[in-house]
């Protein structure tokens, strides 16, 4: 299994747009083969921080997800509005 934690730092002016794109990304990603979990969270202590937490069965599923239309359109949109940091773990 693979866990991806995507930390998103966004200013107040762009937060609503990032959340909207994030929700679309979650909805599409949950339908991808090999997706175990995919969710968007807001920090309870920092207004400018969101996190996408995703779990995949294997590298092939993650790779297919990264080429899916919802990923290739929505991730660049989020990146244009916020700063993203990615952590990847195999377990």
């Amino acid at each position: 299994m693979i866990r991806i934690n995507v930390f998103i730092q966004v200013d107040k002016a762009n937060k609503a747009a990032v959340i909207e794109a994030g929700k679309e990304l979650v909805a599409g990603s949950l339908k991808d083969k090999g997706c175990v979990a995919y969710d968007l969270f807001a920090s309870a202590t920092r207004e400018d921080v969101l996190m996408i937490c995703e779990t995949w069965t294997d590298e092939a599923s993650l790779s297919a997800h990264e080429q899916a239309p919802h990923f290739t359109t929505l991730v660049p949109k989020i990146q244009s509005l916020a700063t993203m940091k990615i952590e990847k773990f195999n377990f």
Side-chain angles (χ1 to χ4, degrees), residues 14-74:
N14 293 328
K15 189 172 180 179
V18 169
I19 289 172
E20 183 63 32
K23 286 180 180 181
E24 288 181 53
L25 182 61
V26 168
S29 300
L30 286 170
K31 297 174 187 173
D32 288 344
K33 181 181 177 192
C35 181
V36 176
Y38 208 103
D39 211 338
L40 174 68
F41 298 96
S43 172
T45 57
R46 292 185 54 195
E47 283 191 33
D48 64 333
V49 175
L50 304 169
M51 184 174 95
I52 294 174
C53 186
E54 50 189 282
T55 306
W56 297 92
T57 55
D58 54 42
E59 196 66 46
S61 298
L62 176 58
S63 181
H65 162 69
E66 291 171 341
Q67 296 177 36
H70 55 272
F71 184 94
T72 60
T73 58
L74 295 168

